[in-house]
Amino acid sequence: MVTDTDVVIVGAGPVGLMLACELALARVRVRVLEQRTARMEQSRALTLHPRSLEILDQRGIVGRFLERGIPIPTGHFAMLDTRLDFSRLDTGHPYTLFLPQARSEELLEARARELGAEILRGHAVVEVTEREGSVALRVEGPEGLRDERASYAVGCDGAASVVRRSVGIAFPGSETTLTAFLGDVEVAEHPARPGSRVGPHGGVMVVPLGDGGYRFVVFDPQRMHADRSEPVTLDELRSSVQRILGTDFGMRDPRWLSRFGNATRLSERYRRGRVFLAGDAAHIHFPAGGQGLNVGLQDAMNLGWKLAAAVKGWAPPHLLDSYHEERHPVGRALSRNTEAQTRLMDVSDPGLALREIMNDLLGIEAVNRRLAGQISALDIAYPPAAGAAAHAWVGKRAPDRALESGRGATRLYELLHAGRYVLLDFADDAELQTTSEAWRDRVDVIQAKVAAPQTDLSAIDALLVRPDGHVAWASDGERRATRLDDLRAALMHWCGPA
């Protein structure tokens, strides 16, 4: 049986589901194929970072997540005692949201179905082949093997990605050289001080799960060379926690025990022809700082509107290539960041001395803010298009500022709910509106004023914001003579021909 659709997403984890939401929002026919027959109840990730909350806000669904999660104003870097302070970051969501991955997946799946995405569980993709003008997929489903065809395919199918291997994208990097493990358990004695503690015997992070259970994440030098495939036992968890913290808290009734390693790999390409990779299919690393799921969601946000533009037929030729150009450096930085954190888990005397120095450095506000910006992904800025008029705002995430417009009081992120470009005209410029008129099928032009006392946009007279909330073009009067030509060039570059 051959079934045609616009985009097939392989993998119904949070990344695949986020991408399905983006494509379905743009009225793209999208099918998600997942080999598991049901969602996993275990949650590898437990938190959503500020930038992930921003992109959910940009689509009008962040409230669903906030209702189910718990805001925490700090994060951690390498389990250091000095926490990263998210509360001082310039965002409407200056915190990490404690929300187990299983709940995030549930919410994203519900949203994808609302928008019309098709999600099939128990359907394993076994081979992907690009053909001229389409992608062929071999699928093992409940009724046996079948062939499917789509205009594009995206591998969101994890570290062992069938999609990546089928199309021959290399996955260079390092093998596992050390392992850690975790256990979700009940306890007889509730820890008085959850959080992370690291000493000469190892490190333990204690996380209350909100339902009476606790997660213990353990870095034990005596067990760090255990093979990743070796099952974790409750006795191993008890023994390590007892040795490191002096008590095992009366652990019992394990819900989930898992071992993980520090293998770090980054796909050579995020795109090959009509096939794309996102999330763990594109990058794997030691889960330091809780960044993996979040970077994957941000991959999906970057790719979704670009792929929708290609399906709709108006994407300029380079738009799909910009996915790799923008997100591959983010994956590389993620790899370096997590490798650095892994090195800081050294509990030898020199390692502990280095940790003490880092704890002191994180007490310096500028240093803390720098690392908090990296972990939260709020500091990501994409390079401007080659030959484009450079402006300090271009490539950066647009700040969610309060605005006054003909629609009344609003926020910038509320204007992005439809997943379209937004051109903010702060100067009531008739020429600007006339210039952009030919792109009105792709661009919402909004006359607005920045509500006082916000000043960072006060010098800007116009701003073109991409569907993912990054700035594509800005004008502040310095290039007034060429601003309309600059705007026209930016619209051609990002939105295609008028």
Side-chain angles (χ1 to χ4, degrees), residues 384-385 388-396 398 421-427 429 431-433 435-436 443 445 457 460-466 470-477 479-480 482-495:
H391 189 283
W393 276 104
V394 172
K396 293 181 179 179
Y421 288 91
V422 172
L423 176 59
L424 290 168
D425 174 12
F426 295 128
D429 187 332
E431 289 183 310
L432 179 145
Q433 294 172 39
T435 299
S436 60
V443 182
V445 181
L457 292 179
I460 302 295
D461 54 49
L463 204 65
L464 178 62
V465 183
R466 305 182 342 178
H470 284 261
V471 176
W473 171 84
S475 170
D476 59 9
R479 292 173 57 93
R480 187 137 188 100
T482 62
R483 79 189 189 291
L484 297 180
D485 288 339
D486 293 344
L487 172 59
R488 195 175 292 110
L491 289 167
M492 284 286 291
H493 179 85
W494 290 109
C495 307

Side-chain angles (χ1 to χ4, degrees), residues 282-299:
H283 42 75
I284 62 169
H285 52 88
F286 196 71
Q291 298 169 90
L293 177 147
N294 291 279
V295 174
L297 292 178
Q298 294 150 29
D299 289 344

Side-chain angles (χ1 to χ4, degrees), residues 114-389:
E114 280 176 21
L115 294 169
E118 184 181 11
I119 300 170
L120 301 179
R121 296 188 178 276
H123 295 256
V125 173
V126 296
E127 187 179 16
V128 178
T129 307
E130 185 181 3
R131 296 177 180 171
E132 188 171 345
S134 67
V135 179
L137 300 98
R138 191 76 164 157
V139 184
E140 177 74 55
E143 316 237 328
L145 281 171
R146 70 177 188 277
D147 293 317
E148 292 206 12
R149 188 173 65 241
S151 297
Y152 298 93
V154 185
C156 301
D157 51 341
S161 173
V162 169
V163 176
R164 187 188 64 242
R165 288 187 279 114
S166 289
V167 298
I169 297 177
F171 201 36
S174 60
E175 300 287 349
T176 295
T177 59
L178 58 86
T179 58
F181 56 96
L182 65 82
D184 292 349
V185 297
E186 305 290 333
V187 296
E189 174 193 345
H190 291 277
R193 187 172 66 90
S196 55
R197 277 161 276 180
V198 177
H201 300 297
V204 176
M205 180 179 292
V206 184
V207 183
L209 297 175
D211 57 4
Y214 286 82
R215 170 166 294 181
F216 291 84
V217 183
V218 181
F219 191 90
D220 184 347
Q222 294 188 17
R223 300 294 299 153
M224 64 184 290
H225 295 299
D227 192 275
R228 191 184 167 198
S229 63
E230 180 184 337
V232 180
T233 66
L234 181 58
D235 284 343
E236 179 184 10
L237 182 66
R238 283 173 172 157
S239 175
S240 291
V241 173
Q242 174 75 46
R243 185 170 59 257
I244 297 168
L245 298 184
T247 176
D248 66 5
F249 302 99
M251 294 178 187
R252 63 175 189 275
D253 302 327
R255 307 172 186 177
W256 187 40
L257 300 167
S258 179
R259 199 180 309 275
F260 52 92
N262 68 328
T264 302
R265 296 184 177 278
L266 179 64
S267 290
E268 190 173 70
R269 301 289 307 172
Y270 281 20
R271 177 193 183 190
R272 174 150 292 168
R274 291 177 171 266
V275 179
F276 299 81
L277 304 174
D280 286 353
H283 42 75
I284 62 169
H285 52 88
F286 196 71
Q291 298 169 90
L293 177 147
N294 291 279
V295 174
L297 292 178
Q298 294 150 29
D299 289 344
M301 186 68 159
N302 185 286
L303 175 61
W305 60 277
K306 297 173 180 177
L307 202 49
V311 170
K312 297 296 183 181
W314 58 259
H318 55 80
L319 190 63
L320 290 180
D321 283 336
S322 74
Y323 171 61
H324 170 84
E325 292 163 1
E326 292 182 343
R327 295 305 297 175
H328 192 265
V330 174
R332 186 184 303 113
L334 173 67
S335 299
R336 300 292 290 170
N337 173 292
T338 52
E339 286 176 327
Q341 291 190 65
T342 306
R343 287 298 181 98
L344 281 169
M345 293 305 299
D346 178 5
V347 294
S348 67
D349 286 344
L352 291 173
L354 177 59
R355 289 180 62 83
E356 186 175 346
I357 292 170
M358 282 298 298
N359 273 316
D360 288 343
L361 288 174
L362 281 181
I364 301 171
E365 183 178 350
V367 176
N368 196 298
R369 185 183 294 268
R370 175 77 172 268
L371 284 180
Q374 290 180 9
I375 297 293
S376 67
L378 294 179
D379 69 344
I380 289 174
Y382 300 131

